[in-house]
Amino acid sequence: MRTDSSPGTLPAREHLPAGDAGTPVLDVVIPVYNEEKDLQPCVLRLHDHLKRTFPYAFRITIADNASTDTTPQVSRRLAAELPEVRAFRLEQKGRGRALRTVWSASDAPVLAYMDVDLSTDLNALLPLVAPLISGHSDLAIGSRLARSSRVVRGPKREFISRAYNLILRGSLQARFSDAQCGFKAIRRDVAQVLLPLVEDTGWFFDTEMLVLAERAGLRIHEVPVDWVDDPDSTVHIVKTATDDLKGVWRVGKALAGGSLPLDRLARPFGDDPRDREIKDVPKGLARQLVGFCVVGGLSTLFYLLLYSGFRVFTGSQIANALALLVSAIANTAANRRLTFGVRGCGGAVRHQAQGLVVFGIGLALTSGSLAALNTASSDPAHSTELAVLIAANLAATVLRFLLFRAWVFPDRRDADSTVVASHVPAHNPSSPTYSMAGQPDAHYGPLPQRPVAQGAPRYPYETAQFRAREAADGTWRDTTVQLQPVRPHDIDSRDSR
């Protein structure tokens, strides 16, 4: 799958303008399960902090994961007393399930979540969401592993967190520093397209979402946080770690097989520096040239090592043919994946067959050069042979790149763009309005400042209690994709989370 060949479905990021009233800019979700003791102090503290420090209108959503104690009653009481709080009840467990369901139903342009224990210092909340409001980033995460973070927790949890981070870096090439910190935010337009790709419904949900976003080229902003661990946490470390490792294997397998449509998340040209057009240069040529040169340099070294090894026990022509054959197969595979961005096994055999044709042309050039050298000198030095082969390979490399780009891996950008464009609504970059979910023709205008006057109108959802799978208007429609906030296996009674 070519993740860089599509203009994508996401519009260019824009700063969210401030206004006077209307839809909240920020929706903070607090997923809870049997938290009757901590829920009220947490919500009151968060509500007070946002009232005092947050410059936009906000909402706090309590996502109850099938609690069996008095948590639902506490949630409803808080929703009735505080106009910025609403209660959301799910009948199944799972933090990931709660976040996907509530985020899918929310109309706020910036979505966040934090754990009920409020282990993270709330002063990091505004720095967390500011890059999303400004249009600089797509997602934001709190990091307990950043250099400037201050963390108070036991050595056991510290070891597990850092070990898990090393596993992600080694297996999934993750570059973010802290996947499991319960302090994250995402732009709603990104969530609409990203969340349907995330399968996990438990604690691995965060990691899977971040890995897919990073692989798709989305920008992830990290905020160092002050963190005090909750000694009364109900998280089962062994079970969570086991499930996370299973998730790492599943996501790694999907990424290796190219089965994930990450090109849906591509930003338009000009928004990502990698996509900016260079005058008089075809799109993607500059990046492909760099990748081809790197692969070509490594392939040349590999070829020369093979030639020197084969030359010990055979003639120059046979050694050249064997070395060129082996290095050509490796070169085609590397260029297929790294230079031209082709993923998965589809067409691999055809590409290798075409690569062998290109190899034959290179063989003719290098063999002809050796034949000419042997004609000029009956016993040329080994260094002279290598110099001639390098010159011949340079000429063959230029021809190989042209054949790869025009014949083996042709650029189908225009065809892909046509298909995607037919499903993407028109977007005017200069417009300050944003489409509302479920109302293709409706827009909410400038986004609101938080009302400060006493007796301000209460939100229409103040006492509403929504069920899982049901949005405020009873639908899951969206202008870009059909949202599936709850997957079929979400109702699996065997899931204990």
Side-chain angles (χ1 to χ4, degrees):
M1 177 177 298
R2 304 185 60 179
T3 59
D4 63 339
S5 63
S6 169
T9 60
L10 292 176
R13 288 184 293 262
E14 293 181 352
H15 193 295
L16 302 177
D20 298 324
T23 304
V25 174
L26 173 66
D27 191 349
V28 183
V29 180
I30 303 177
V32 293
Y33 173 71
N34 289 349
E35 297 287 355
E36 58 184 2
K37 177 181 177 181
D38 296 332
L39 179 57
Q40 180 167 328
C42 162
V43 172
L44 293 178
R45 180 183 166 195
L46 175 60
H47 180 269
D48 177 70
H49 177 82
L50 291 172
K51 275 282 189 181
R52 290 185 294 102
T53 65
F54 195 67
Y56 295 93
F58 66 89
R59 176 194 301 153
I60 300 173
T61 301
I62 303 171
D64 176 21
N65 285 121
S67 295
T68 57
D69 59 4
T70 61
T71 297
Q73 290 83 352
V74 177
S75 301
R76 288 194 294 269
R77 183 173 67 250
L78 290 169
E81 295 175 354
L82 301 173
E84 295 85 5
V85 176
R86 73 170 179 176
F88 200 111
R89 170 75 177 180
L90 294 94
E91 300 301 332
Q92 299 87 31
K93 295 181 183 179
R95 182 177 69 173
R97 177 181 291 111
L99 293 178
R100 181 167 60 231
T101 303
V102 178
W103 279 354
S104 297
S106 179
D107 54 356
V110 177
L111 312 168
Y113 95 90
M114 61 177 55
D115 292 335
V116 69
D117 55 19
L118 293 186
S119 296
T120 305
D121 182 9
L122 292 178
N123 288 327
L125 182 55
L126 184 56
L128 181 79
V129 301
L132 308 187
I133 294 175
S134 69
H136 174 270
S137 301
D138 299 293
L139 299 91
I141 65 174
S143 176
R144 299 163 295 186
L145 303 180
R147 287 182 177 272
S148 56
S149 298
R150 297 184 297 178
V151 178
V152 178
R153 62 177 171 179
K156 179 180 179 181
R157 287 183 176 271
E158 181 74 12
F159 172 78
I160 292 175
S161 181
R162 293 189 178 274
Y164 183 61
N165 183 60
L166 289 176
I167 291 174
L168 293 180
R169 289 178 177 270
S171 59
L172 300 178
Q173 289 79 50
R175 296 188 297 273
F176 47 85
S177 64
D178 192 351
Q180 291 289 20
C181 180
F183 194 66
K184 294 181 176 67
I186 185 173
R187 286 178 65 104
R188 178 175 171 269
D189 58 345
V190 176
Q192 290 173 351
V193 186
L194 178 59
L195 295 186
L197 303 181
V198 180
E199 293 187 12
D200 193 79
T201 60
W203 294 96
F204 187 70
F205 175 88
D206 305 54
T207 302
E208 185 172 358
M209 178 181 68
L210 291 175
V211 169
L212 298 186
E214 188 176 73
R215 286 298 186 94
L218 298 181
R219 184 174 295 155
I220 302 175
H221 178 74
E222 294 198 16
V223 178
V225 298
D226 296 341
W227 176 280
V228 179
D229 196 21
D230 179 14
D232 298 325
S233 174
T234 58
V235 177
H236 301 287
I237 297 179
V238 175
K239 184 180 187 305
T240 300
T242 302
D243 292 339
D244 286 348
L245 292 177
K246 292 179 181 178
V248 169
W249 170 259
R250 174 176 55 79
V251 173
K253 183 178 179 181
L255 291 173
S259 60
L260 293 169
L262 298 181
D263 52 350
R264 290 187 194 174
L265 302 171
R267 286 291 185 181
F269 296 125
D271 184 68
D272 191 325
R274 297 172 303 174
D275 293 329
R276 290 176 184 167
E277 299 183 34
I278 302 176
K279 187 176 181 180
D280 298 328
V281 176
K283 289 182 286 219
L285 179 58
R287 181 186 60 77
Q288 290 178 358
L289 278 173
V290 172
F292 186 81
C293 289
V294 172
V295 173
L298 295 176
S299 297
T300 300
L301 292 176
F302 183 50
Y303 161 78
L304 293 176
L305 289 175
L306 290 174
Y307 176 81
S308 299
F310 292 143
R311 190 67 176 84
V312 173
F313 55 84
T314 188
S316 61
Q317 292 288 5
I318 297 178
N320 172 64
L322 292 175
L324 197 57
L325 175 61
V326 176
S327 61
I329 294 175
N331 180 276
T332 300
N335 277 307
R336 181 179 187 270
R337 175 66 179 84
L338 302 177
T339 303
F340 299 97
V342 181
R343 300 185 180 184
C345 300
V349 175
R350 176 175 57 83
H351 293 155
Q352 283 293 350
Q354 292 172 317
L356 290 178
V357 175
V358 178
F359 150 75
I361 298 175
L363 178 63
L365 287 174
T366 54
S367 298
S369 300
L370 284 176
L373 177 62
N374 291 328
T375 300
S377 175
S378 58
D379 189 19
H382 183 63
S383 59
T384 304
E385 285 184 344
L386 292 180
V388 170
L389 287 174
I390 290 174
N393 267 287
L394 287 176
T397 297
V398 175
L399 182 59
R400 185 185 304 119
F401 176 75
L402 296 177
L403 289 175
F404 272 180
R405 181 175 171 83
W407 180 46
V408 183
F409 309 108
D411 191 355
R412 296 185 174 87
R413 189 185 312 265
D414 295 336
D416 293 343
S417 300
T418 302
V419 173
V420 174
S422 64
H423 298 283
V424 181
H427 173 69
N428 182 5
S430 62
S431 173
T433 60
Y434 299 81
S435 297
M436 294 178 62
Q439 300 182 28
D441 299 325
H443 296 81
Y444 55 84
L447 295 173
Q449 291 280 3
R450 172 175 54 81
V452 295
Q454 295 294 328
R458 297 164 70 89
Y459 296 109
Y461 49 77
E462 58 179 345
T463 59
Q465 182 167 346
F466 302 98
R467 288 186 171 272
R469 310 186 192 188
E470 184 179 7
D473 62 352
T475 67
W476 286 107
R477 298 188 306 273
D478 188 82
T479 58
T480 304
V481 294
Q482 181 68 26
L483 294 178
Q484 298 293 335
V486 179
R487 297 177 180 274
H489 59 267
D490 282 359
I491 58 175
D492 189 350
S493 60
R494 295 171 295 177
D495 190 345
S496 60
R497 288 174 293 175

